Amino acid sequence: MTIVAHWFRRLPSVDELLKGTPLPELAASHGRAAVTEAARSELERLRAEIAGGTLSEDGLEVALAGLTAAVAVRVARRVGGSLRPVINASGVINHTNLGRVPLSADALDRVVACARGYSNLEFDLETGERGRRDDHARALLDQLAEREGISGVTGIVVNNNAAAVFLALAALAKGGEVIVSRGELVEIGGSFRIPDIMAQSGATLREVGTTNRTRIEDYERAIGADTRLLLRVHRSNFEIVGFTEQPELSQLVELGRRRGIPVMEDLGSGALLDMERFGIAGEPSLFQSLREGVSLVTASGDKLLGGPQAGLVVGAPDLVAELRRHPLFRALRVDKMCYAALEGTLISYLREKSDQIPLLAMLGRPAEEVERRCRALVDAVPHLPGRVVGTRAVIGGGAAPGKSVASFALALVPTGMSAQALASQLRRQSVPVVARIEDGCVLLDLRTVDPADDAYLTRVLAGLAP
Ligand SMILES: *Cc1c(COP(=O)(O)O)cnc(C)c1O
């Protein structure tokens, strides 16, 4: 341990340090306060290292030579914000940790147009008087429903599907009972658990059946004077296989009609199209549920619909009106940017241009095309220790459990480092690249990468090649 007292004197003062390039320019663009704070922190760190005796004389020289650069990095980190774009090469199409799904160009254009200035968010342009924010998106949803042969339904939008379920339970079942199958008491990541959300809403959970088998008679027997809802929860992120039984939705609807109790379905993903066209079974569309006679459906705007984070509640107008009147609606409502993005997305469906929605474009991309792009990458970076491999890209994000689509990836075989170290190097790029690790290789699955990013990816890989 060497504490060399005179080393401290070699450290510049804050004022001296601030004169070194490029700090004056940084102070002009990022503010003097931010740069001064960063300079102080950097000097303190160095002082602590000297005091701790962890620094060699050479180390001190290197640290002093790199001092202004270290301050610049610290400034960028502190005032650069933390939310940044990344490239999703993980092959998980709907990646909750990476912001679920990209928005379409139409959706983004609308967000920019409506947020750059003022908008008619709550203003009726006909009368010049106050309007209702929840009128937005509704007319588009109504038209989409009508096109599917469903009339007499309406919808509202809240912050996310968790909020939609919470609001519906609070508005329709507080103080009463909600009947749910034991096979549907799901947890959707972290704190969204059906029993907990039920307790918070003030409704009492009435469990029926068993984990693997629930019959329509189980629901019927549980109905009493306090029953407010029959709730069906989509098994979004798991499957029950083997000796199983679950009543058909139509049976629940028939029971509800007979006993005068609405059936609500927490659908989760909110697909608007039949997902079978992408080879994904078991993800009923929102309209399919309504067609079967469910009174109220809740769904996410950003799972299989391909829009912004939002919760859609669509169904019988009298029930939707109760949700709208509930005080929680004010707390869970969405802002103009969400309405703009959602309308932009719904319009693509109405124009039958759903391939312009990035999520659906990714799902629909032929595997051969993905393979061709992988080969082009390998060819562009000849020294790269990589090869093209067939993969399965998964739907992810709490939708379509166990479902995947054929895809291709560039498999990088790390040389002289671990796969984790290579993946970490990819994450440290100016636009971080998120890959997945399999069998000691780093896989870059191009199904989830926008073809427009292939050129950037080529540059990143060229930088890695020995
Ligand atoms: C995903 C999901 C939720 C939560 O939706 P968010 O939009 O993430 O809030 C609730 N219920 C089901 C069945 C889901 O799949």
Side-chain angles (χ1 to χ4, degrees), residues 100 160-162 188 192 233-234 236 266-268 300 302-303 310 398:
R100 289 217 172 136
N160 54 14
N161 186 34
I188 311 287
F192 184 89
V233 184
H234 187 59
S236 295
D266 174 13
L267 192 55
S300 274
D302 59 353
K303 279 187 183 170

Side-chain angles (χ1 to χ4, degrees), residues 5-13 16 50 57 60-61 64 67:
H6 69 267
W7 285 6
F8 289 112
R9 288 197 292 276
R10 297 207 45 208
L11 300 183
S13 70
E16 277 164 1
I50 296 173
E57 187 145 19
L60 177 70
E61 296 304 331
L64 286 173
L67 203 50

Side-chain angles (χ1 to χ4, degrees), residues 33-118:
V35 183
T36 308
E37 281 156 22
R40 267 203 199 106
S41 306
E42 222 24 65
L43 285 171
E44 254 161 47
R45 185 185 60 80
L46 207 51
R47 231 174 259 127
E49 275 184 33
I50 296 173
T54 53
L55 210 58
S56 67
E57 187 145 19
D58 286 349
L60 177 70
E61 296 304 331
V62 171
L64 286 173
L67 203 50
T68 51
V71 173
V73 167
R74 204 179 265 266
V75 170
R77 244 188 246 138
R78 282 172 67 132
V79 297
S82 54
L83 184 64
R84 316 158 55 182
V86 306
I87 290 179
N88 174 15
S90 70
V92 180
I93 294 169
N94 175 2
H95 200 308
T96 297
N97 301 149
L98 301 183
R100 289 217 172 136
V101 294
L103 291 175
S104 70
D106 275 359
L108 291 169
D109 287 348
R110 267 168 190 271
V111 171
V112 172
C114 293
R116 175 177 280 146
Y118 296 93

